[in-house]
Amino acid sequence: MNRSLYQLVCAALLAALPVAAFAAYPDKPIRLIVAFEPGGSTDIVARLVGQKLSERVGQQVVVDNRGGAGGTIGTEIAAKANPDGYTLTMGTTSTHVIAPETYPNVKYDSIKDFDPITLVATTPYLLVVNPGVKANSLKEFIALAKSQPGKLNFASAGTGTTTQLAMEMLKGAAGIDLVHVPYKGNGPAGIATIGGQVQALFGSMPAVLPQVQAGRMRPLAVGTTKRSPSLPNVPTVAESGYPGFEASLWLGFFAPKGVPTPILKRLHSELVSIAQSPEMKDQFLKNGAESITNSSPAELTKLVAAEILKYKKVISAAGIKLQ
């Protein structure tokens, strides 16, 4: 065999190797890290998608909740995991945009340390109040807050999380003074709002929608530019007198940097198919989320970069910087 032919054969074999080498993927359970406590929006969406992914690939997808420090603890674990396709994480506006800007000494880079796979859902932030609060609309809530500056409390899923920043944006837009009370996740923040320890919460829809439907919280406005199909009678903040206001949460799948391309392509294909399925669209809608049906890795990277620029301004205006 001459040298040129030999080189062509070797090149062909090397080109075919990745597909052959990873054809059996996955042949063991996949860990899906959720960087928040159970019961929040990220956990809800991760479990819905994880169950379907498990069915499609024939291996168990194990949700591993690693909450704390605004999502940075679990996200760092995911960033440092073996890039073999058996550890994934559900990244969000909080973990990949806001937390790295607010928490000191974050040991991961949202873009450099991850392989983006696909965006699967977005969800509005929903402003809710305890039923005992004398406000049935955003206008009435703003008027109440202005009549009692510094007297009303609002909960968040933690300092520097999107639930705080959504309310900080409203405070700035409406010129109101509310006291921030951080909790360790959407679940505890919701419980505090229901119990009356705080008066309001600008929570992500999947976490608060069941409480609204049960009458334990009163919805006042959604943060997206259009009304949510899950609560079509609830107006947006923008149409309630604050044009241009937008606060929403995106949720996407990421892997630690360096996962072989064939595995990333397989995961992207499976996750896009799940997001496109009528069953998943319906499940998302029931939980207040909207399915994103054809997001590429490049589009997800572009979204993260754009959101970092957007929220840097909000964080700076709110003076949020943890020590």
Side-chain angles (χ1 to χ4, degrees):
M1 182 183 294
N2 64 46
R3 186 175 180 84
S4 296
L5 181 58
Y6 177 78
Q7 288 175 330
L8 286 172
V9 171
C10 287
L13 290 172
L14 288 172
L17 180 60
V19 176
F22 302 110
Y25 173 85
D27 59 7
K28 62 181 180 180
I30 296 171
R31 178 172 64 154
L32 175 54
I33 294 177
V34 172
F36 298 98
E37 299 297 330
S41 296
T42 308
D43 182 67
I44 291 169
V45 172
R47 290 179 186 277
L48 287 172
V49 179
Q51 179 183 349
K52 291 302 175 185
L53 181 60
S54 176
E55 294 171 4
R56 291 183 67 90
V57 302
Q59 290 289 340
Q60 186 179 9
V61 175
V62 181
V63 175
D64 183 6
N65 293 92
R66 297 294 186 98
T72 60
I73 293 174
T75 307
E76 181 184 337
I77 293 171
K80 294 181 177 180
N82 186 8
D84 57 4
Y86 289 96
T87 298
L88 307 176
T89 187
M90 173 150 279
T92 70
T93 318
S94 291
T95 61
H96 280 61
V97 175
I98 293 171
E101 296 296 324
T102 54
Y103 280 80
N105 304 316
V106 172
K107 295 181 176 62
Y108 63 86
D109 185 292
S110 300
I111 294 177
K112 294 179 180 178
D113 292 337
F114 292 92
D115 281 322
I117 302 174
T118 187
L119 189 67
V120 294
T122 61
T123 179
Y125 281 95
L126 177 65
L127 177 62
V128 295
V129 294
N130 177 278
V133 174
K134 295 180 180 179
N136 293 302
S137 67
L138 178 59
K139 182 179 180 180
E140 291 180 0
F141 178 73
I142 297 299
L144 179 65
K146 286 186 174 181
S147 71
Q148 304 176 45
K151 299 296 184 182
L152 299 182
N153 300 328
F154 76 93
S156 80
T159 300
T161 61
T162 42
T163 49
Q164 180 192 1
L165 292 185
M167 190 67 92
E168 295 292 350
M169 287 192 287
L170 180 62
K171 286 169 58 180
I176 54 176
D177 180 13
L178 306 174
V179 178
H180 176 219
V181 182
Y183 290 86
K184 293 181 178 179
N186 271 288
I191 291 172
T193 307
I194 293 169
Q197 286 80 32
V198 296
Q199 286 72 50
L201 167 66
F202 219 141
S204 54
M205 184 80 84
V208 299
L209 183 59
Q211 310 303 331
V212 168
Q213 293 170 331
R216 291 188 282 267
M217 293 177 174
R218 181 185 303 129
L220 300 184
V222 294
T224 39
T225 55
K226 61 181 181 180
R227 295 192 183 196
S228 168
S230 301
L231 289 173
N233 295 325
V234 177
T236 67
V237 173
E239 70 181 283
S240 300
Y242 302 94
F245 185 96
E246 182 177 6
S248 60
L249 176 74
W250 56 258
L251 305 105
F253 278 79
F254 295 80
K257 194 73 174 180
V259 171
T261 299
I263 291 178
L264 291 175
K265 288 183 175 179
R266 170 78 189 279
L267 288 167
H268 180 266
S269 176
E270 299 292 0
L271 290 168
V272 167
S273 295
I274 291 169
Q276 289 176 339
S277 69
E279 181 184 0
M280 187 53 58
K281 289 180 180 179
D282 183 60
Q283 286 294 319
F284 280 166
L285 184 61
K286 288 178 180 178
N287 285 278
E290 180 179 348
S291 179
I292 303 299
T293 57
N294 196 21
S295 166
S296 71
E299 289 170 336
L300 183 50
T301 297
K302 185 177 179 180
L303 173 65
V304 173
E307 290 277 277
I308 288 172
L309 292 177
K310 170 187 172 180
Y311 278 101
K312 271 186 177 180
K313 297 176 183 178
V314 178
I315 292 165
S316 177
I320 301 170
K321 199 68 179 178
L322 302 179
Q323 300 300 320

